[in-house]
């Protein structure tokens, strides 16, 4: 950041925090699976979260506002590599060495 956050950016961050709290209160296991992936392979966890952020940002930039679509997009981005949980951890050690 080259400049201090604007009030609109602070409000968006506040809204995000409120949404996360609502999600956790609705489903206490909402983030537990993400933490399980993190314990298995930190690189994949970071990749999943980044993919989700990019997908939602792109959809927003394209003017997509349908809440159901955005929720499905978010879910898809977060689970697109979920199969890696079933691959032995040693197969991912090269990521940590190169990043």
């Amino acid at each position: 950041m080259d400049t201090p956050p604007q009030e609109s950016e602070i409000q968006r961050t506040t809204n995000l925090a409120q949404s996360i709290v609502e999600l956790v209160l609705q489903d206490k296991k909402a983030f537990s699976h993400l933490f399980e992936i993190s314990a298995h392979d930190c690189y994949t966890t970071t990749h999943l979260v980044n993919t989700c952020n990019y997908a939602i940002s792109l959809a927003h930039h394209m003017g997509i506002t349908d809440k159901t679509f955005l929720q499905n997009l978010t879910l898809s981005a977060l689970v697109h590599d979920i199969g890696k949980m079933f691959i032995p951890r040693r197969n991912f050690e090269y990521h940590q060495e190169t990043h």
Side-chain angles (χ1 to χ4, degrees):
M1 284 184 149
D2 295 330
T3 61
Q6 301 296 313
E7 188 168 334
S8 63
E9 293 168 324
I10 293 170
Q11 186 59 50
R12 282 194 308 264
T13 304
T14 301
N15 293 343
L16 175 62
Q18 289 171 344
S19 295
I20 291 170
V21 168
E22 288 176 24
L23 175 64
V24 170
L25 290 176
Q26 288 174 7
D27 181 1
K28 294 187 185 334
K29 293 184 178 182
F31 289 100
S32 66
H33 297 295
L34 190 58
F35 291 125
E36 286 177 33
I37 296 169
S38 180
H40 181 73
D41 176 23
C42 188
Y43 173 84
T44 299
T45 306
T46 303
H47 169 69
L48 295 176
V49 172
N50 287 341
T51 300
C52 180
N53 288 333
Y54 292 135
I56 294 301
S57 295
L58 181 59
H60 176 68
H61 180 74
M62 293 171 62
I64 298 171
T65 58
D66 180 81
K67 187 175 181 176
T68 301
F69 177 86
L70 294 172
Q71 288 171 335
N72 288 332
L73 178 64
T74 300
L75 178 61
S76 299
L78 285 173
V79 300
H80 79 274
D81 276 340
I82 201 73
K84 287 185 176 181
M85 285 292 296
F86 304 102
I87 298 173
R89 188 178 195 176
R90 67 182 176 274
N91 293 344
F92 298 106
E93 290 175 1
Y94 69 93
H95 286 298
Q96 277 127 30
E97 293 174 9
T98 60
H99 288 97

